[in-house]
Amino acid sequence: PWPRLPGAGLAPQLRRQDRRLHFTEQMSHCLQMAEPQETVLALPPREGVQAAATVPIRLSGLEDGLSDHPLDQGPRCPARRPCSPASAPAPTSPKKPKMQAPGDTFPTDWSPPPVEFLNPRVLQGSQEAPAQRWVGVSGPQLSWRVSGSYFNNLDYLLQEKREQALEQERERLLLQECLNLNSLDLDEDEVPLTPEHRMLVEKYSVSLQTIPPVHPGETVFLPRRHSLPCILDSSHLKPRSRLEGLFLSSPPAQQLSFLHSGLLSTLYLHVPDCPVPLLQWLFQLLTWPPETSLGAFGLLWDLSADGIFLQPGEDVHLWCPSLQEVREAFHSLGAHSPALYPLGPFWHGGRVLPGKAGLSENKEQDAPQEVALDISLGHIYKFLALCAQAQPGAYTDENLVGLIELLCRAGLDMGLRLLPKVDLQQLLLLLLENIREWPGKLHELCCTLSWVSDHHHNLLALVQFFPDMTSRSRRLRSQLSLVVIARMLGQQETLPLWQEKTQLSSLSRLLGLMRPSSLRQYLGSVPLPPSQEQQPKASAELDHKACYLCHSLLTLAGVVVSCRDVTPDQWGELQLLCMQLDRHISAQIRESPQATHHTMLKDLATQTYIRWQELLTHCQPQAQYFSPWKDI
């Protein structure tokens, strides 16, 4: 055997120790890499752990397991105690791996950076006790971060809720103070003003009075919550079938169920002679709410149209409601004007009996009052248009004039001002065409319609009910506009209004009376209030009324000219009209920021002047040149 040299077993033992130290460092590095991101609070060291850290650990068993070579079986070195990182000497073995430096590429601490800058409490706590945040553990840079307070913790949420409650309370107090200020009854007219302040206010005040684009209307139909009862007069009717007998003997409620279910169409459609009381009953039902009037109108229209096609001859016999029945229908809709009923309400025929118990609508109507009224009037207008078209001779000229007046009064209702009136305009055109004595009835019709209303804007809206589509409607529009202008100015008896050739000259005379200054004198017959403080306000109102009247009259003057076929012979009269318009109206209006109605009136005068100048260019007579060959 080889002799054992002194120190021969020391080298293997050092190699084994270096391997054990390297293995321990690798295990600690792996544990550090696998450490979760959650932080763990540093626990106080216990006595057992501290004692175990000071007791030396024997590595003989580990050495025996790691030394298998026979050369490694030498005298063993005494066990060594591991030192802490602060006191352990730096190993000099070249096989020891290098520690992680601060500038290395891969850091050893993979935990997220602290977000303590969001909470000032954490910053304050870090300044007071920095040692409680980080706890060092034996090993190469093994550390655990203590969890701090987050930004949305419970205390912060409670504080935020308290601040929001305080803000809501302040807002409620401010709103209450504003309501208290608005509830104070401060009348600006009662506040005394010095003369200097009054002059300043009058100089820079702006008038809010403008010329309204929509006419004021008349109160024709009053709101009616329940419909009037309507009873079918079947005393003179003989049933032709068992089902018809059941219908005629049923109470009003069941008769309406026949209408809603469609059984009446089965009974009377395609029948040559439809009972007239049934048609009258259906016509009165047109004034009921839309859910009933729609079915009644559909059946009435089908029965009338079917009766027209079933008659072989040219002389068509169609039942048409009389003027009296139309007035009754308007009364059922709530009309109360004395002009509709000069002798009071009309009750006859047993169809509308206010004293007897009949069927009425007890529930509130779903549609608004104006919409329901417009629907019922639309049904009446359409059926009357069918009668006027299918049977032109159903009404006499007197009835036609009365029916046109009645329809125009109904169209001026205050609740129907903003609704379209296409059905009414078509019906008026048909009624004008059915007048036999034309233009003999034109004078009577114009005089009747000119007194339908006392307001000039309502009369202007009445003229616009007749579209400029037929020769009769144009003639009526022109003549009626001239009559309304003369009536508003009190010149009906002094001018020849009914001579067609002198209408432009009469209008030229009326234009001189339409200037705003003359209208102020005409309207100022009522004396101003004696109070000095109320005189400026009353004068401004009078000026507004004068401009408003001039605006309506000037619009009617434009209708008079536009509805006429101006011939070259009337070129001089039209040129005189342009001169009168520029002299008496355009030159008399002074625009100012304090009076908006002056600007609107001057704009209308300018537009009218431009249109009349265009007419002058179209109807200008051809120049007469001397021709020596004229007599040859």
Side-chain angles (χ1 to χ4, degrees):
W2 294 93
R4 182 180 295 273
L5 298 177
L10 184 59
Q13 188 175 2
L14 292 175
R15 288 194 299 271
R16 287 193 297 271
Q17 292 178 0
D18 293 338
R19 287 196 298 271
R20 286 194 296 270
L21 182 58
H22 180 59
F23 177 75
T24 304
E25 291 175 353
Q26 288 181 350
M27 290 298 294
S28 63
H29 182 66
C30 293
L31 289 176
Q32 183 180 2
M33 293 291 292
E35 188 69 18
Q37 296 182 1
E38 296 182 357
T39 58
V40 182
L41 294 174
L43 300 177
R46 291 180 293 181
E47 297 179 355
V49 179
Q50 185 176 5
T54 57
V55 175
I57 301 175
R58 302 282 298 180
L59 301 177
S60 58
L62 186 60
E63 292 175 0
D64 295 340
L66 295 176
S67 61
D68 296 334
H69 199 271
L71 296 178
D72 296 337
Q73 304 295 330
R76 296 177 180 178
C77 181
R80 300 172 64 182
R81 184 181 64 181
C83 302
S84 61
S87 61
T92 58
S93 174
K95 297 181 179 181
K96 181 179 177 180
K98 296 182 180 180
M99 301 297 294
Q100 187 74 20
D104 292 344
T105 306
F106 298 94
T108 56
D109 189 4
W110 293 86
S111 60
V115 290
E116 298 168 351
F117 64 91
L118 295 176
N119 196 340
R121 300 180 180 178
V122 178
L123 297 177
Q124 183 178 0
S126 63
Q127 295 176 1
E128 294 176 356
Q132 298 179 4
R133 296 297 179 90
W134 303 90
V135 179
V137 184
S138 61
Q141 298 186 4
L142 295 178
S143 61
W144 289 269
R145 183 168 54 86
V146 182
S147 62
S149 300
Y150 290 99
F151 184 70
N152 54 349
N153 54 10
L154 183 59
D155 295 337
Y156 181 78
L157 294 177
L158 292 176
Q159 182 65 22
E160 184 179 1
K161 190 172 183 63
R162 295 190 195 99
E163 293 176 356
Q164 291 179 356
L166 291 176
E167 292 178 358
Q168 293 177 359
E169 182 67 19
R170 295 192 195 99
E171 184 178 357
R172 186 183 64 82
L173 293 176
L174 288 176
L175 290 177
Q176 186 176 1
E177 292 178 359
C178 293
L179 293 177
N180 294 335
L181 290 177
N182 293 333
S183 62
L184 296 178
D185 189 8
L186 298 178
D187 192 358
E188 296 181 358
D189 297 337
E190 297 179 359
V191 178
L193 295 177
T194 61
E196 295 81 4
H197 291 172
R198 185 178 300 278
M199 292 176 59
L200 187 63
V201 170
E202 292 178 357
K203 182 178 180 180
Y204 294 101
S205 63
V206 177
S207 176
L208 298 180
Q209 294 179 342
T210 59
I211 298 177
V214 183
H215 61 283
E218 298 285 345
T219 303
V220 180
F221 297 97
L222 295 178
R224 189 181 292 273
R225 186 175 181 181
H226 303 289
S227 302
L228 293 179
C230 186
I231 300 176
L232 175 62
D233 185 13
S234 59
S235 58
H236 302 285
L237 296 180
K238 295 181 180 180
R240 288 169 288 187
S241 63
R242 187 175 181 181
L243 184 60
E244 185 179 2
L246 180 62
F247 166 71
L248 295 178
S249 61
S250 298
Q254 294 184 4
Q255 290 177 350
L256 283 180
S257 64
F258 272 79
L259 173 64
H260 294 157
S261 61
L263 292 177
L264 288 182
S265 301
T266 306
L267 282 176
Y268 296 104
L269 198 61
H270 307 298
V271 176
D273 297 329
C274 185
V276 174
L278 177 66
L279 299 176
Q280 294 174 343
W281 179 67
L282 292 176
F283 182 76
Q284 292 297 327
L285 286 180
L286 297 182
T287 62
W288 278 46
E291 57 269 13
T292 303
S293 63
L294 182 61
F297 172 72
L299 181 59
L300 181 62
W301 183 277
D302 293 341
L303 293 177
S304 301
D306 188 67
I308 293 173
F309 290 109
L310 288 178
Q311 297 179 16
E314 296 182 357
D315 296 335
V316 179
H317 178 70
L318 177 66
W319 175 82
C320 299
S322 62
L323 179 61
Q324 185 76 13
E325 291 172 335
V326 176
R327 286 176 176 172
E328 290 180 4
F330 283 5
H331 175 71
S332 300
L333 291 174
H336 79 290
S337 176
L340 301 182
Y341 316 100
L343 300 178
F346 297 90
W347 312 99
H348 66 88
R351 294 185 303 277
V352 182
L353 302 175
K356 296 184 179 181
L359 181 65
S360 61
E361 291 291 327
N362 295 324
K363 60 181 180 179
E364 294 185 1
Q365 304 189 14
D366 298 334
Q369 181 70 25
E370 292 79 9
V371 177
L373 177 62
D374 182 66
I375 292 175
S376 298
L377 289 176
H379 294 335
I380 295 175
Y381 296 157
K382 291 176 182 177
F383 183 72
L384 291 177
L386 176 64
C387 297
Q389 182 71 28
Q391 195 169 353
Y395 301 99
T396 62
D397 290 348
E398 289 77 9
N399 289 336
L400 288 174
V401 172
L403 187 57
I404 290 174
E405 178 190 1
L406 181 65
L407 295 175
C408 290
R409 288 183 181 273
L412 291 177
D413 183 69
M414 189 180 300
L416 306 176
R417 295 179 300 167
L418 302 178
L419 298 178
K421 299 177 177 59
V422 180
D423 297 331
L424 176 60
Q425 292 176 346
Q426 293 178 354
L427 176 58
L428 290 176
L429 290 179
L430 292 175
L431 295 179
L432 281 180
E433 297 298 325
N434 290 342
I435 296 178
R436 301 176 183 86
E437 297 180 6
W438 185 268
K441 289 293 181 180
L442 180 62
H443 186 185
E444 179 184 356
L445 184 60
C446 290
C447 292
T448 303
L449 295 181
S450 63
W451 290 95
V452 168
S453 176
D454 293 332
H455 199 279
H456 51 87
H457 203 166
N458 290 336
L459 295 176
L460 173 61
L462 186 144
V463 172
Q464 295 173 351
F465 286 167
F466 299 90
D468 187 6
M469 299 178 62
T470 62
S471 59
R472 289 191 177 186
S473 64
R474 285 193 296 269
R475 179 77 181 275
L476 177 63
R477 282 168 59 93
S478 177
Q479 188 68 45
L480 181 59
S481 300
L482 188 61
V483 172
V484 170
I485 295 174
R487 185 211 161 186
M488 291 289 104
L489 297 177
Q491 302 293 324
Q492 281 184 296
E493 304 297 335
T494 59
L495 295 177
L497 304 177
W498 307 105
Q499 298 179 10
E500 186 177 359
K501 296 182 178 180
T502 60
Q503 287 183 354
L504 291 182
S505 61
S506 300
L507 181 61
S508 177
R509 296 179 184 179
L510 293 173
L511 276 178
L513 301 176
M514 288 167 52
R515 56 177 177 263
S517 59
S518 300
L519 293 178
R520 278 195 294 268
Q521 296 177 2
Y522 180 73
L523 297 175
S525 57
V526 180
L528 295 177
S531 177
Q532 185 178 1
E533 296 180 356
Q534 297 181 0
Q535 285 184 0
K537 185 177 180 180
S539 178
E541 293 180 356
L542 182 60
D543 180 73
H544 175 263
K545 290 181 180 179
C547 291
Y548 189 14
L549 177 58
C550 183
H551 190 277
S552 299
L553 297 181
L554 186 58
T555 307
L556 290 172
V559 174
V560 173
V561 177
S562 61
C563 292
R564 295 180 57 86
D565 297 330
V566 182
T567 59
D569 299 337
Q570 299 174 340
W571 184 82
E573 298 178 359
L574 184 57
Q575 189 178 17
L576 181 60
L577 278 177
C578 294
M579 295 173 58
Q580 295 286 344
L581 176 63
D582 187 34
R583 177 183 177 184
H584 295 291
I585 297 180
S586 298
Q588 296 291 331
I589 302 174
R590 295 183 179 180
E591 298 183 76
S592 64
Q594 288 79 16
T596 311
H597 49 278
H598 288 181
T599 304
M600 300 179 65
L601 180 57
K602 194 158 189 175
D603 289 344
L604 178 62
T606 304
Q607 295 173 10
T608 307
Y609 183 83
I610 292 174
R611 286 195 296 267
W612 289 356
Q613 288 291 330
E614 292 178 353
L615 289 177
L616 282 176
T617 58
H618 291 297
C619 68
Q620 185 176 5
Q622 298 180 359
Q624 297 292 335
Y625 297 99
F626 173 75
S627 177
W629 299 277
K630 182 178 180 181
D631 298 332
I632 299 178

